[in-house]
């Protein structure tokens, strides 16, 4: 009898005779080690988890497409942006940052907003957040920053003292802290939030001319947020609220969409702009660099399998295509290493060959072997370069654009150090009701902080952003208003 699809098989394809009773020495005897099907079943189960992401562990994903709606070819030669109407398949993963993979969706936390474009010239990953800025601006601070957001080493509890201690000693975080504590710190769903590339990137056109850019995905569903009270209730009732919302919306044909815009800065402006445009704790004012439309992204297909598509999806800001380059943003530079490194640890060295991650075009290179090499591993083709056997060769026209650098090799801070103006600008653009909720959210979050010294230090930062901002937080905490 041949095996058909109704036959349960072992992982080596042999039919299984009994999947309910293990093999024992007599009906009451001990279990036999010769029941290899049992051994394999138990052993495989023990290995079902890959390490969860150290950040962005809880997430949801969906497939869709990106369609160009405006001609941007004078700025970039990226093929997927070369024609109005051109469509490129995408996979998107949204996430919270600090919690574990089973944690509640409706917490106050930035949201990851990672997009993989499967372009004809390789994959392009835009690995951003739902906020235009970040807490720190140098990757060397990232492990400490995340430690402060994670659990206490003894109690295994979240630790507001560590959170505010780190922020108060890292005042560059003030702008992002203000966004996080504002209404947008808890989006109503993944569909009702914007996405940002956050860093500065470079676009390069067919003539080799570059511009600095920043990406903005604007939700077409409109911004909607949850109040702290409602978010807390939902976290108890349905910790997977955002995950479920995204899946059900797509299942019901209510496809979420975003418009993509860029801000464009001429390269030479970077030397004279009023702050360092590569500093990821700052936005570029839209009055200086208005939004220019690029296209529209629609999510219209749920994953078939969560583990295969969402858990194994591996994004990296270093996954670039010709026409899109990096900038000297120190946070971005660190991420160029950290993301693929995390995936090599978490998923394996051949993670880019998995179906969800592999490009739609052919991969031609001399990388061979490694754990779980599940394709033909290059077959018998030439496996080194240079070679005399017609193997793939580089194409110099696709080198990233060159740019001049100067100065001493040294560990140096960003040279223009205003942490306060933009946080204050944001405070001042909020309505009175929004300010009241912002202050209340901050006060609630800071109350459990163990040392007044930390609270007072942080209040001074709020005060420097806007005296009213500092005064109201101080009053809420029953502490003196700074002079
Ligand atoms: P603009 O008036 O041109 O832009 C204001 C921006 O603020 C809009 O993008 C608006 O987004 C956004 N915004 C409104 N409410 C909130 C909120 N609660 N949380 C986060 N963003 C919000 O001014 P500027 O460009 O000169 O920027 C002024 C301030 O606006 C900045 O200091 C910054 O804090 C904030 N901001 C600026 C952005 C930028 O890229 N320039 C992007 C996001 C925020 P929307 O249109 O969706 O309401």
């Amino acid at each position: 009898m041949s095996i058909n699809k109704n036959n349960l098989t072992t992982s080596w394809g042999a039919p299984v005779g009994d999947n309910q009773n293990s093999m024992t020495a007599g009906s009451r005897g001990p279990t036999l080690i010769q029941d290899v099907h049992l051994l394999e079943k138990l052993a495989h189960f023990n290995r079902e988890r890959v390490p969860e992401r150290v950040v962005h562990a809880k997430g949801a994903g969906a497939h869709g497409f990106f369609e160009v709606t405006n001609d941007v070819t004078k700025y970039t030669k990226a093929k997927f942006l070369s024609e109005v109407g051109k469509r490129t398949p995408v996979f998107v993963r949204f996430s919270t940052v600090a919690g574990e993979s089973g944690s509640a969706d409706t917490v106050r936390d930035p949201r990851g907003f990672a997009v993989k474009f499967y372009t004809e010239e390789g994959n392009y990953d835009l690995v951003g957040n739902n906020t235009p800025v970040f807490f720190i601006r140098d990757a060397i601070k990232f492990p400490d920053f995340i430690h402060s957001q994670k659990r206490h080493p003894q109690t295994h509890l979240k630790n507001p003292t560590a959170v505010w201690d780190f922020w108060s000693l890292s005042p560059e975080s003030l702008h992002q802290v203000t966004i996080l504590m504002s209404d947008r710190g808890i989006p109503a769903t993944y569909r009702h939030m914007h996405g940002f590339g956050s860093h500065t990137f470079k676009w390069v056109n067919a003539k080799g001319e570059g511009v600095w850019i920043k990406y903005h995905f604007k939700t077409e569903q409109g911004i909607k947020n949850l109040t702290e009270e409602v978010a807390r209730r939902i976290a108890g009732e349905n910790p997977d609220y955002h995950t479920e919302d995204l899946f059900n919306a797509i299942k019901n044909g209510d496809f979420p969409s975003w418009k993509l815009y860029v801000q464009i800065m001429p390269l030479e402006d970077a030397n004279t702009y009023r702050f360092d445009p590569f500093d990821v704790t700052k936005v570029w004012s839209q009055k200086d660099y208005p939004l220019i439309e690029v296209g529209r992204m629609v999510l219209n297909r749920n994953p078939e399998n969560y583990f295969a598509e969402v858990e194994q999806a591996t994004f990296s800001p270093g996954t670039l295509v010709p026409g899109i380059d990096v900038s000297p943003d120190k946070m971005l530079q660190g991420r160029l290493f950290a993301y693929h490194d995390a995936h090599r640890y978490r998923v394996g060295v051949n993670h880019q060959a998995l179906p969800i991650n592999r490009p739609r075009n052919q991969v031609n290179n001399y990388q061979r072997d490694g754990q779980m090499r599940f394709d033909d591993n290059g077959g018998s083709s030439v496996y080194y370069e240079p070679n005399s056997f017609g193997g793939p060769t580089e194409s110099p026209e696709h080198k990233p654009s060159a740019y001049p650098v100067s100065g001493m090799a040294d560990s140096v801070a960003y040279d223009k150090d205003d942490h306060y103006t933009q946080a204050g600008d944001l405070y001042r653009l909020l309505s009175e009701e929004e300010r009241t909720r912002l202050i209340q959210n901050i006060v609630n979050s800071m109350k459990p902080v163990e040392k007044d010294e930390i609270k007072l230090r942080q209040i001074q930062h709020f005060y420097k952003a806007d005296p009213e901002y500092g005064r109201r937080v101080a009053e809420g905490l029953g502490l003196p208003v700074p002079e």
Side-chain angles (χ1 to χ4, degrees):
M1 187 193 95
S2 64
I3 295 171
N4 65 46
K5 69 177 170 39
N6 292 324
N7 286 118
L8 178 71
T9 72
T10 60
S11 45
W12 59 95
V16 171
D18 192 331
N19 194 40
Q20 305 302 316
N21 303 294
S22 42
M23 198 186 291
T24 49
S27 65
R28 304 189 73 177
T31 305
L32 296 179
I33 208 167
Q34 74 180 45
D35 189 350
V36 181
H37 170 57
L38 168 71
L39 304 187
E40 287 298 311
K41 195 172 168 182
L42 297 180
H44 191 275
F45 176 71
N46 281 345
R47 291 161 178 79
E48 281 185 359
R49 295 288 168 273
V50 296
E52 67 175 38
R53 294 163 171 89
V54 66
V55 284
H56 296 275
K58 175 77 185 284
H63 298 268
F65 65 86
F66 176 80
E67 182 171 333
V68 180
T69 55
N70 190 23
D71 181 2
V72 288
T73 53
K74 69 177 168 177
Y75 302 117
T76 177
K77 63 181 177 185
K79 282 266 167 53
F80 78 106
L81 298 174
S82 63
E83 231 176 290
V84 172
K86 191 175 173 92
R87 281 192 179 188
T88 299
V90 298
F91 180 74
V92 177
R93 183 175 182 270
F94 303 115
S95 50
T96 52
V97 181
E100 299 80 13
S101 78
S103 58
D105 285 342
T106 58
V107 291
R108 186 172 298 285
D109 204 9
R111 299 299 188 280
F113 194 113
V115 185
K116 190 179 285 296
F117 299 83
Y118 300 95
T119 94
E120 71 239 65
E121 287 186 311
N123 289 350
Y124 174 47
D125 291 352
L126 189 41
V127 198
N129 279 329
N130 70 332
T131 60
V133 294
F134 197 60
F135 298 94
I136 52 171
R137 52 192 179 169
D138 190 320
I140 202 165
K141 294 186 75 161
F142 190 76
D144 296 294
F145 163 57
I146 293 299
H147 284 178
S148 75
Q149 304 282 313
K150 294 273 188 180
R151 293 171 186 278
H152 186 278
Q154 181 183 26
T155 60
H156 201 55
L157 298 173
K158 294 284 176 66
N159 184 5
T161 302
V163 166
W164 288 100
D165 193 24
F166 184 89
W167 284 343
S168 68
L169 291 167
S170 307
E172 69 270 31
S173 63
L174 187 68
H175 192 188
Q176 172 81 325
V177 167
T178 304
I179 295 176
L180 179 66
M181 292 292 152
S182 79
D183 290 346
R184 295 190 191 189
I186 316 180
T189 78
Y190 286 135
R191 298 176 296 125
H192 293 93
M193 61 185 199
H194 296 329
F196 299 89
S198 304
H199 303 289
T200 298
F201 294 90
K202 193 200 267 178
W203 271 5
V204 181
N205 68 14
K207 291 189 222 153
E209 300 157 339
V211 286
W212 300 121
I213 62 136
K214 275 190 186 280
Y215 293 105
H216 299 243
F217 280 103
K218 295 262 188 184
T219 171
E220 292 196 310
Q221 290 66 244
I223 291 275
K224 274 196 202 155
N225 307 302
L226 299 177
T227 61
E228 196 138 301
E229 200 188 358
V230 172
R232 270 211 205 101
R233 178 175 54 72
I234 296 175
E237 288 173 2
N238 182 2
D240 306 317
Y241 182 74
H242 289 168
T243 308
E244 185 176 38
D245 171 84
L246 182 68
F247 194 91
N248 284 347
I250 294 173
K251 189 173 82 179
N252 297 331
D254 181 11
F255 302 140
S257 57
W258 286 260
K259 269 278 183 62
L260 178 65
Y261 299 85
V262 282
Q263 287 177 285
I264 292 188
M265 178 187 282
L267 293 189
E268 52 282 8
D269 285 18
N271 302 322
T272 52
Y273 197 44
R274 60 180 178 276
F275 55 85
D276 191 328
F278 307 121
D279 173 352
V280 71
T281 64
K282 310 272 197 306
V283 294
W284 303 350
S285 174
Q286 292 172 38
K287 292 160 198 111
D288 299 334
Y289 301 102
L291 300 183
I292 295 169
E293 184 176 322
V294 181
R296 185 166 176 264
M297 180 172 80
V298 180
L299 299 182
N300 59 7
R301 181 162 63 88
N302 278 317
E304 255 328 284
N305 184 284
Y306 183 87
F307 184 86
E309 291 155 76
V310 187
E311 192 61 15
Q312 293 198 120
T314 62
F315 299 87
S316 167
T319 301
L320 299 164
V321 291
I324 305 177
D325 288 351
V326 297
S327 78
D329 174 335
K330 295 173 210 252
M331 193 66 209
L332 171 61
Q333 294 275 322
R335 294 179 77 205
L336 296 177
F337 161 71
Y339 278 65
H340 274 320
D341 188 57
H343 304 315
R344 283 188 284 267
Y345 162 66
R346 200 175 67 80
V347 185
V349 69
N350 286 310
H351 68 95
Q352 294 188 85
L354 287 166
I356 190 65
N357 298 322
R358 72 173 171 239
R360 300 295 191 255
N361 59 309
Q362 204 177 326
V363 172
N364 300 320
N365 63 30
Y366 300 93
Q367 292 172 8
R368 296 289 186 274
D369 307 356
Q371 283 195 343
M372 300 306 297
R373 186 76 201 216
F374 49 84
D375 60 3
D376 72 350
N377 193 29
S380 59
S381 65
V382 57
Y383 52 97
Y384 58 87
E385 214 223 346
N387 64 68
S388 311
F389 299 95
T393 55
E394 66 209 18
S395 38
E397 70 274 22
H398 291 127
K399 273 168 61 168
S401 67
Y403 67 95
V405 292
S406 63
M408 306 292 286
D410 195 3
S411 304
V412 279
Y414 278 92
D415 58 355
K416 290 176 189 163
D417 237 358
D418 172 8
H419 313 305
Y420 304 103
T421 305
Q422 293 200 350
D425 289 345
L426 179 58
Y427 181 79
R428 289 180 286 274
L429 72 75
L430 300 180
S431 68
E432 175 50 34
E433 295 74 39
E434 288 172 320
R435 286 185 197 184
T436 302
R437 286 192 295 271
L438 168 75
I439 304 293
Q440 196 55 54
N441 295 336
I442 292 173
V443 168
N444 291 347
S445 172
M446 285 179 76
K447 256 190 196 142
V449 170
E450 284 158 17
K451 288 181 174 212
D452 278 357
E453 168 198 334
I454 295 172
K455 295 183 194 167
L456 289 167
R457 193 190 301 130
Q458 184 64 36
I459 288 168
Q460 292 198 1
H461 297 315
F462 293 133
Y463 191 88
K464 284 186 199 162
D466 191 290
E468 179 193 296
Y469 189 7
R471 179 178 56 73
R472 290 178 68 174
V473 175
E475 285 169 3
L477 288 168
L479 288 169
V481 180
E483 291 299 312

